[in-house]
Amino acid sequence: MPNNKGVVYIGPGKVEVQEIAYPTLELRSGPGVPPMNAGRQCPHGVILKVVASNICGSDQHMVRGRTTAPQGLGLGHEITGEIIEKGRDVEFFNVGDLVSVPFNVACGRCRMCKEGNTHVCLNVNSQPGGAYGYVDMGGWPGGQADYVMTPYADWNLLKFPDKDQAMEKILDLAMLADIFPTGYHGAVTAGVGAGSTVYVAGAGPVGLAAAAAAYFLGAAVVIVGDFNQQRLAQARSFGCETVDLNQDATLSAQIEQILGIPEVDAAIDAVGFEAKGQGGSAQPAIVLNSMMEITRAAGKLGIPGLYVTGDPGAEDEDARVGSLKVRMGLGWAKGHGFTTGQCPVMKYHRGLMEAILRDRVQIAKAVNATVLPLDEAPEGYADFDRGEAKKFVLDPHGMLTR
């Protein structure tokens, strides 16, 4: 049995690469595993040799101590891998298949899964929704590791049809586990279509993916707003207009300078609950409120940015339980539509895979995918936290092109 290493959350501001247990087709007891899942048998699962596993901004919320994540939690929910073992109940996948793993863990049997709402599966957690390596998401082990187990393989996994072709585009395909579908979901739920004008709040990897997705959907203009100059430059590298939020001019005034009017058709929140105002002050509702101000009447807001029910690092009691000062009256008066929650990856990943394989989109270039060995994950987390305009892709077995 091979050795296994993985990225482990040690405490606020610290992760380590440690020796961890080699996966089996059982969800064993451990940090963050709810009692209902401890010892759960997974004959429907597979063991993967991890080819790529990305560092996500959602991981950073945990590492910063802004969630209730327990120490010792193995991290990583963006997984691409090769099947090296399968359970007796797996019918449609074989050892050697190269697959993308949706970050949502879903059973395929419950009411939510049958309705396509795989982001809120009722059977994989003690509450709706499950994910790999994430707080309150069922305790499923993270994939920033050499090897990982994924359950309900026939339902969840997306097989790449040609292994050699897939390896040629592996950095793009590695984005299918989360970031590309998540950005695309934000754009779709914001109503982006041919000729749309779009505002994306946040030029981190999710925001960049949302901007690329908006262009893929036919947007005429995509405007990305952020404080980080390096990330704004990355947005401009593939055709986005940008708004520097450090400037004294209001967001609506800067949008008017670009479009001639101070509003857009659609807006996407790619920031979430750690939103800040000028000077770095914590203002967790500022993105939502500013998006309502600049989105036209009857427009839509896509909200893939993460919001939590428990934030021990918040500066006020309300925000610690996810209660924010959102101007709902403004949204109601303008007839806005809001879509929140995790992206149901399976709704989109096959079509986005085809777009990648047929050279319709270059998502790795848009998000500046940057490969690191697994052992350098702590440095990747630190660089990401400093605002590097990169999407770090961990390469446990040296299979990616550096």
Side-chain angles (χ1 to χ4, degrees), residues 150-281:
T150 66
Y152 301 104
D154 283 331
W155 171 248
N156 285 293
L157 301 184
L158 175 67
K159 178 183 173 180
F160 301 139
D162 184 300
K163 201 169 182 179
D164 291 337
Q165 181 193 25
M167 288 305 297
E168 292 175 0
K169 298 179 178 293
I170 192 63
L171 289 184
D172 293 282
L173 294 171
M175 303 304 147
L176 290 174
D178 178 0
I179 185 173
F180 192 16
T182 291
Y184 187 83
H185 179 64
V188 167
T189 56
V192 177
S196 295
T197 57
V198 184
Y199 176 69
V200 179
V206 170
L208 296 172
Y215 276 132
F216 180 58
L217 286 165
V221 182
V222 178
I223 304 168
V224 179
D226 206 303
F227 297 100
N228 184 312
Q229 300 304 310
Q230 186 181 8
R231 289 180 168 180
L232 289 175
Q234 180 62 27
R236 289 192 292 272
S237 75
F238 61 97
C240 298
E241 301 284 348
T242 57
V243 166
D244 182 355
L245 298 177
N246 296 293
Q247 295 185 13
D248 291 333
T250 64
L251 176 60
S252 59
Q254 291 194 65
I255 287 175
E256 186 171 19
Q257 289 177 353
I258 296 168
L259 297 179
I261 56 174
E263 64 182 18
V264 294
D265 297 318
I268 303 166
D269 175 2
V271 178
F273 75 105
E274 285 197 72
K276 294 179 173 61
Q278 284 190 346
S281 61

Side-chain angles (χ1 to χ4, degrees), residues 1-6 20-28 42 45-50 82 84-86 132 140-143 145-151 397:
M1 182 179 296
N3 294 326
N4 195 21
K5 292 188 298 183
I20 61 174
Y22 186 82
T24 63
L25 298 175
E26 175 186 342
L27 180 50
R28 293 174 290 209
C42 299
V46 298
I47 307 297
L48 295 179
K49 178 181 179 180
V50 177
E82 179 183 8
I84 59 172
E85 180 184 341
K86 69 175 190 175
Y132 301 93
W140 300 95
D146 291 316
Y147 303 94
V148 69
M149 186 271 285
T150 66
H397 298 280

